[in-house]
Amino acid sequence: MSAPALPPIERIVTFCCRWPALVTLGAILLTVAAGFYTSAHFAMNSDSTKLISPEVDWRQREIRFDKRFPQQSNLILAVIDGQTPELAEAAAAGLTARLSEDKKLFPDIRRPDGGAFFDHNGLLFLPVSEVEATAQQLFKAQPFLGALAADPSLRGVMDSLATVLLGVSQGQAQLSDIDVPMARLGQVFTAATQGRTDYLSWRALITGSAPRPEEIRRFIEIKPVLDFDALEPGARASDAIRSAARDMGFTPEHGVRVRLTGDVPLSDEEFATLTDRVWLMGAAMMAGVLATLWLAVRSFKIIFAILATLVAGLMLTMGLALLFIGVFNIISIAFIALFVGLGVDFGIQFSVRYRAERFHHPELSKALCHTGRSVGVPLALAAGATAVGFFSFLPTNYIGVAELGFVAGMGMVVAFVTAITLLPALLMLLRPAGEADDVGFAGLAPLDAYMARHRRTILRIAAGAGLIGLLLTAFLHFDSNPLDLRSPKVESVSTLFDLMGNPQTSPNTINATAPSLAGAEQLARRLSALPEVAQVLTLASFVPEDQERKLALLADANNILGLTLNPFEVKPPPTDAETVASFRDVAAKLRDAAGDRKGGAAIHAEALAGALERLAGGPAANRAHAVEAVVPELKTMLRQLSDALTPSPVTIATMPAAMRAEWIAADGTARVQVFPKNTSNDPRILSDFSDAVLKVAPDATGAPISIRESGRTIVGAFTEAGILSFIAILALLALVLRRLSDVVTTLAPLILAGLLTTGSCVLLGLPLNFANIIALPLLLGIGVAFNIYFVVAWRAGAKNFLQSSLTRAVIFSAATTASGFGTLWLSRHPGTASMGELLMISLFWTMVTTLFVSPALLGPPPAREDRAHEKLI
């Protein structure tokens, strides 16, 4: 009679043991070819808008809006805060001009609150009463302004003071008339004597009131050219903006702070946060993996074989991924971590089982063949179940994870194939030493006996724990706010939170469209009536009311002040000696004016005189601080006043073309911008705001809608994939195990681990979010693999699991996975850290249920005659 045919996997292992050099050479050639293909074709698209299917309704609305108004997407928003309104305006104007020179990197730059249009017509947007009051204030300041415009320097400031002080000495004016300017100039010049710069707001000096928050903040909207081949597509543009700001002196040391936020910096800085501590996490991961492998196999030769197999599998998977999908996205590239975390399990399972077989079969090839016979089927089933779990993401609308599922599923197949081919071939070539002792945990024999005696008690405890976990799951919170996944310490996020506090600058606006501007006005009126809405803007919102009256007032003011603000001759800048002389002259006149007077004005005059005298006698560097604090702001103020007094009638037709394009598309479609009344950034409030707007404008889109709908799409994708993977794994187990009780025994510990994981999240206050939800399919993949190993071993007659080599393999496989994924907990990125935390929690409960609940469920192994009828397919 001929010998019985070997099982397929054992035949494969036997072949690899017979021709190890040939198999290894073939694997090397394939790995090198995959490496060359990867290096030649590697590409990654970091465009986060491509992660969700464009077929989804809300994405189609976004795409339509972006096509009509492309200038509204992929923006960098430069937020400029100045210590004075003049500093903020000068910085915004200067930075805009500098960036506009580089059209290749910055094809579109806009100032939504400034530029020539608002510089000349800004006063038209004030009520008539405020325009009239502003004109009167300027009339009163005319003498002062004339001297300053003719000599915009510290000398000119001193001459203006001297003129007023002359009037005081002649009884034509009161010292108290200039009390506020003296007090403020005294503060500025005192700071200069101390080597500090205390910037002077001329607007506040003239109006007598402190600047409003919106007056010291300016915005620049920048649409850069993005490099989606880079991990941070807008990094080059952001670096150029920051470099330009530094070069021009727009820094906190000079009274200006420039911060960047918007879609582009938010996305870029999130990736930068993800890579922060990457070396620490990588080092911790490698140290953990190597230490775990050593404890598992106790042989450098076996460790080398496992790692070489892992690297080969990784290169082959990456090459196949590029062949089939062409380009990685920012999620699918994470297959590397998945492959290392899950793929190494196959190597450990095979190697630990090999050590156990080597103890019983000293001959290397025979031990490897027996390993293939005993571990091949459970490895194949575990790989198949894990791959099916990942492939279940393919039908979902979450393209980022769908591609990750495809690559990771394919990686599980590759990892299994290399584990039963390359790994035994390498072991044959490396010829590790034999095993002197059994590789199980003999010390756990008492615990095995205890579990056998108290099997029902363990199951009751497990059932009770599962029930508690089920009840706690009702309180599980899902954090749908994506900003909670970002570090609040990075500039783009902290700036965004700053803007959210003001209804006028909140980024949580919604855009709706209408076929025409007239239709947009009608839609705006309907939206304005909603209680959730603070204000609604259209292009018509930028046509001021009562223009005739305001234009007349400003024309009269310009007739009177035009030559004052724009003199025919302007004095050249003074020398330092001239400035010193003017300081001393005014200081003497201030003391004369103060005389024996009492009260605040006299005190302020004496203080200013003292500061001027110290500046005059001090180093030139101190006078430079005084110049920086006063003169640039003075010139900015004079230019602003001159521009503000020369408005033109504003109509839709007279608006700048770029401004019209922001609100009216090429096809005539008009944009309507809707602002929320509640700026708390609460997802429920923003959802109510979105619902209210969508009822009136079904085509609306914007951040509140996109955030909510993307969350629903992502959660829906994971729910769909979870159901599909559970059904697929159930079908696979039923097909292979062919007995319902064994299928239930395989899945029950996994379900229990899931309940305990979610219950722990509730108790620990750890919400699910868009980042850590990926731990759930990982739990499914790891858990089903471990339980399959136990069920298949039990069907083969195994018992006393805790002291077996299988438990050793499972424990160290889990430890390796923990080393790979647990280091994510060290990340500064809140989303990544929460992913690492949830992975560790789920892995802990998976181990508990696999090692203690699964053996209790299985009980004594079936009789030998029963096992003969339970062969796997």
Side-chain angles (χ1 to χ4, degrees), residues 74-80 95 110-113 217-224 238 241-242 258-266 491-492 495-496 499 505-507:
N74 292 330
L75 291 177
I76 298 176
L77 179 66
V79 182
I80 301 172
L95 188 57
R110 306 184 303 276
R111 287 191 57 197
D113 57 353
R217 174 168 288 176
R218 291 291 183 268
F219 299 96
I220 308 175
E221 292 180 350
I222 306 160
K223 190 173 181 66
S238 296
I241 296 170
R242 293 189 175 101
V258 178
R259 294 177 293 169
L260 304 183
T261 188
D263 296 341
V264 175
L266 282 168
E491 180 183 270
S492 60
T495 305
L496 190 67
L499 298 180
T505 59
S506 173

Side-chain angles (χ1 to χ4, degrees), residues 48-66:
S48 59
T49 63
K50 305 295 185 183
L51 297 179
I52 293 178
S53 170
E55 302 302 320
V56 180
D57 177 64
W58 66 271
R59 279 288 295 131
Q60 290 184 344
R61 298 201 306 269
E62 273 192 344
I63 293 169
R64 284 196 299 270
F65 181 83
D66 289 343

Side-chain angles (χ1 to χ4, degrees), residues 527-557:
L527 290 169
S528 297
L530 297 175
E532 296 86 358
V533 172
Q535 68 168 335
V536 182
L537 298 179
T538 68
L539 182 60
S541 304
F542 298 93
V543 178
E545 299 177 349
D546 294 326
Q547 287 193 59
E548 290 186 8
R549 295 174 61 188
K550 297 173 188 175
L551 287 168
L553 287 170
L554 294 175
D556 290 342

